[in-house]
Amino acid sequence: MPKTVEMPKTVRMFETVLVANRGEIAVRVIRTLRSLGVRSVAVFSDADADARHVREADTAVRIGPAPAAESYLSVERLLEAAARTGAQAVHPGYGFLAENAAFARACADAGLVFIGPPADAIALMGDKIRAKETVEAAGVPVVPGGRDPELAKAAHELGAPVLLKPSAGGGGKGMRLVRDLTLLDDEIAAARREARASFGDDTLLVERWVDPPRHIEIQVLADGHGNVVHLGERECSLQRRHQKVVEEAPSVLLDEATRAAMGEAAVQAARSCGYAGAGTVEFIVPGNDPSSYYFMEMNTRLQVEHPVTELVTGLDLVEWQLRVAAGERLPFGQEDITLTGHAIEARICAETVSVKEGARGFLPSGGTVLKLNEPSGDGIRTDSGLSEGTEVGSLYDPMLSKVIAYGPDRATALRKLRAALADTVTLGVPTNAGFLRRLLAHPAVVAGELDTGLVEREADSLIPDAVPEEVYEAAAAVRLDALRPKGEGWTDPFSVPSGWRLGGTPKPVGFHLKVTEPVEYVPRGSHTVTADQVAVTLDGVRHTFRRAGDWLGRDGDAWQVRDHDPVAASLSGADRSGAGSLTAPMPGTVTVVKVAVGDQVTAGQSLLVVEAMKMEHVVSAPHAGTVAELDVTPGATVAMDQVLAVVTPAEEDQ
């Protein structure tokens, strides 16, 4: 907290606040409510009946079935929950209805305080086209671009590459970078689908692509009395598919003069829309000329990455959201804000990224959390909605938690965060923790030479080519241990898994195992197995894994090692999953089917679209040929690896 802050002697604070969200942000808001002595009300869908945020709140209200449209996105049900529990205010978190002007107005109409900016400010900044026009009039530089209905014309006038963006959305959803304008029509159609699904509005705008791009945002805080300050910047350039994966404060790119200028531009943007509360003004900055920054959008809510700002400023942003909403004035000015030390955050998402082979990199995953370890300690903070037993499905956003490290300098924060990610265990649900740990050790990241394309360019080098042998060794050790006789006294030699055979040479005991591809593995090292850990020594090197069920984890990575019966697989017709079969890359919903049985297709042609966790995945033809089978229709729910279609190669058609 700024040194000169003198807190008000009399504070008018809410008695009860309803948290209109779920997961880690709901848990995080509840933590601050508890510290202020404010009663918290959680809401939950049927899918979250036993979720952590429900258990940590003072009380909780069921608001509907699992689909978000019938629960977390239902204004009527949220307002009913507030009325039933005597809530005086609503904190929307981020996502869902956090930037929904109609929800903010509905709260006001119901006599509730919406803990966020005025509805008019949300509406203005939620329309990216109007937002750009408004801040440009206030003297804030904006990215050149165009809008519907002349989107394609504007794109061709700008020239490739261009960026398509939903006018009504944020968070990178629906954004498409188009480098080849011959693909523009398909990209526009895909962007409209995602925008309509995520925001209920498929209006798009197009902008010139700034190259090399760095994504830097400024945190602003405003009260209802005309006071606005900025709390410094966050570097958010490490992204994948326009989704941030790592954020830090401050940015190594900015000098003091540029920081001050961008901060003042952010303050002017906030003033231009009559802002109040915590918000973020996002800029795209050329990496080779940081003084030439451009306004992209304003997020009228708390950001996922707000903890890094909290750590370098000493301010609890949720607390100040509450105080501002309760009518307090900011007791500090811009001159009182200082940035101390360095903080870096990594987003832990439910994703399959462990092995390049299998073409499943960075696809949404799911499962049950069998074993959980979330790092803590000096300079480490974990914001999480997880607990052991949590079911992670495909209905909601894939982000599970955030691990944040703080240190006196960037090198220290990076080192602490890498160690914390190595200690992160989420067995039962594949996550990106191991990938993030390797990303944070990449020379360009260590040097601070970042841009928004770095993760995509370097992804292959950060994902193992194959499952390490020690993983199979550990899995075999667990199985050997299960076969060994337990107890004391005489042991039947035929029950010992030694490979001994009557009158013959001992045959090594082997196991048929599968992570991505089936293998026959014969263990060759020494092993130590306990209920929750297994250690193996191969070629003089000891490897230690956490274990739960058929899952093994180490250094943030996790592998599900299953038994594989090659005879049963052959008899069950597994050959159907050959080169001509298209299987679901993730559990989700089929949103688009572009072909029918008998259609002739070309290699790489888009055939189906599967959506999960607000992400689209296009399923394409593996080769030219004929659609021989089509097992799904639009709206069908599919499981991972489920066969969707079969394409017979062209040479087999003749």
Side-chain angles (χ1 to χ4, degrees), residues 240 347-353 362-367 386 392-394 396-401 426 428-433 586 612-613 615:
R240 186 177 51 76
R347 302 187 185 194
I348 307 300
C349 295
E351 289 183 313
T352 302
V353 295
F362 305 113
L363 292 177
S365 66
L386 293 177
V392 178
S394 60
Y396 309 124
D397 191 275
M399 193 179 75
L400 305 176
S401 63
T426 316
V429 179
T431 75
N432 60 342
M586 57 190 179
M613 295 182 177
M615 179 187 298

Side-chain angles (χ1 to χ4, degrees), residues 430-507:
T431 75
N432 60 342
F435 174 84
L436 293 173
R437 183 181 60 82
R438 291 185 288 274
L439 172 63
L440 291 169
H442 189 282
V445 175
V446 173
E449 298 170 353
L450 315 177
D451 67 79
T452 60
L454 187 150
V455 176
E456 301 282 3
R457 292 195 306 271
E458 301 298 326
D460 282 355
S461 68
L462 301 172
I463 304 174
D465 289 319
V467 178
E469 183 187 359
E470 58 266 24
V471 173
Y472 291 114
E473 185 76 24
V478 171
R479 285 155 176 79
L480 277 173
D481 183 71
L483 293 174
R484 290 192 175 100
K486 302 298 188 290
E488 299 179 357
W490 180 80
T491 299
D492 180 354
F494 288 96
S495 68
V496 177
S498 63
W500 179 82
R501 292 188 296 174
L502 181 64
T505 303
K507 180 180 180 181

Side-chain angles (χ1 to χ4, degrees), residues 580-592:
S581 289
L582 303 174
T583 58
M586 57 190 179
T589 302
V590 176
T591 56
V592 178

Side-chain angles (χ1 to χ4, degrees), residues 131-151:
K132 287 181 67 174
E133 294 171 347
T134 300
V135 302
E136 187 174 22
V140 180
V142 300
V143 184
R147 53 177 290 183
D148 277 332
E150 297 186 335
L151 194 71

Side-chain angles (χ1 to χ4, degrees), residues 125-332:
M125 288 299 169
D127 183 334
K128 288 187 174 63
I129 295 169
R130 289 178 59 209
K132 287 181 67 174
E133 294 171 347
T134 300
V135 302
E136 187 174 22
V140 180
V142 300
V143 184
R147 53 177 290 183
D148 277 332
E150 297 186 335
L151 194 71
K153 178 182 177 183
H156 284 283
E157 289 176 351
L158 289 168
V162 296
L163 185 66
L164 300 173
K165 300 169 68 173
S167 176
K173 296 178 179 64
M175 291 173 58
R176 298 268 171 162
L177 175 60
V178 185
R179 295 189 179 276
D180 182 355
L181 293 184
T182 63
L183 303 176
L184 184 63
D185 290 345
D186 286 344
E187 295 289 359
I188 288 175
R192 289 199 196 283
R193 281 197 306 273
E194 290 185 44
R196 192 181 308 114
S198 297
F199 314 113
D201 184 342
D202 63 2
T203 305
L204 303 178
L205 69 156
V206 63
E207 292 178 343
R208 175 184 296 161
W209 179 250
V210 175
D211 201 21
R214 290 182 76 141
H215 184 138
I216 295 179
E217 60 190 29
I218 306 290
Q219 176 71 58
V220 296
L221 187 61
D223 62 23
H225 306 279
N227 302 304
V228 187
V229 298
H230 72 82
L231 307 180
E233 81 282 359
R234 295 185 288 254
E235 172 88 55
C236 304
S237 296
L238 291 177
Q239 304 179 7
R240 186 177 51 76
R241 294 175 181 156
H242 307 296
Q243 296 280 334
K244 304 165 190 173
V245 295
V246 172
E247 304 99 342
E248 59 184 295
S251 169
V252 298
L253 181 67
L254 304 188
D255 56 27
E256 286 301 324
T258 306
R259 177 174 293 115
M262 289 182 68
E264 179 58 28
V267 167
Q268 292 306 315
R271 290 188 187 279
S272 73
C273 67
Y275 202 81
T280 302
V281 181
E282 303 199 349
F283 295 90
I284 194 73
V285 182
N288 51 15
D289 184 14
S291 63
S292 299
Y293 51 85
Y294 302 99
F295 170 89
M296 289 196 301
E297 64 186 32
M298 184 174 188
N299 289 290
T300 54
R301 55 172 168 79
L302 198 66
Q303 289 282 89
V304 174
E305 56 271 23
H306 75 273
V308 297
T309 295
E310 293 184 321
L311 290 172
V312 299
T313 62
L315 293 168
D316 182 327
L317 291 182
V318 173
E319 177 180 348
W320 281 103
Q321 284 186 298
L322 290 161
R323 292 186 179 279
V324 165
E328 285 190 27
R329 292 177 179 270
L330 296 180
F332 46 81

Side-chain angles (χ1 to χ4, degrees), residues 387-608:
S387 56
E388 289 189 1
T390 295
E391 293 280 348
V392 178
S394 60
L395 289 169
Y396 309 124
D397 191 275
M399 193 179 75
L400 305 176
S401 63
K402 304 173 305 196
V403 181
I404 311 102
Y406 174 81
D409 51 54
R410 187 172 186 267
T412 302
L414 272 172
R415 185 172 63 252
K416 286 187 173 185
L417 185 52
R418 288 194 296 265
L421 289 170
D423 201 34
T424 299
V425 176
T426 316
L427 297 186
V429 179
T431 75
N432 60 342
F435 174 84
L436 293 173
R437 183 181 60 82
R438 291 185 288 274
L439 172 63
L440 291 169
H442 189 282
V445 175
V446 173
E449 298 170 353
L450 315 177
D451 67 79
T452 60
L454 187 150
V455 176
E456 301 282 3
R457 292 195 306 271
E458 301 298 326
D460 282 355
S461 68
L462 301 172
I463 304 174
D465 289 319
V467 178
E469 183 187 359
E470 58 266 24
V471 173
Y472 291 114
E473 185 76 24
V478 171
R479 285 155 176 79
L480 277 173
D481 183 71
L483 293 174
R484 290 192 175 100
K486 302 298 188 290
E488 299 179 357
W490 180 80
T491 299
D492 180 354
F494 288 96
S495 68
V496 177
S498 63
W500 179 82
R501 292 188 296 174
L502 181 64
T505 303
K507 180 180 180 181
V509 176
F511 301 91
H512 289 279
L513 305 171
K514 181 178 181 181
V515 177
T516 53
E517 299 294 330
V519 300
E520 183 176 3
Y521 187 80
V522 177
R524 61 184 183 86
S526 59
H527 321 119
T528 302
V529 178
T530 65
D532 60 1
Q533 196 173 84
V534 55
V536 299
T537 301
L538 282 177
D539 303 323
V541 179
R542 182 180 175 87
H543 307 272
T544 303
F545 297 85
R546 308 281 183 95
R547 58 172 291 219
D550 53 5
W551 286 82
L552 296 167
R554 177 190 64 182
D555 293 339
D557 289 314
W559 301 267
Q560 184 180 22
V561 188
R562 291 165 289 188
D563 293 311
H564 174 73
D565 186 336
V567 175
S570 176
L571 294 175
S572 67
D575 56 324
R576 188 166 177 255
S577 61
S581 289
L582 303 174
T583 58
M586 57 190 179
T589 302
V590 176
T591 56
V592 178
V593 177
K594 300 182 178 182
V595 293
V597 172
D599 285 358
Q600 300 293 313
V601 297
T602 59
Q605 180 178 332
S606 173
L607 307 183
L608 309 115

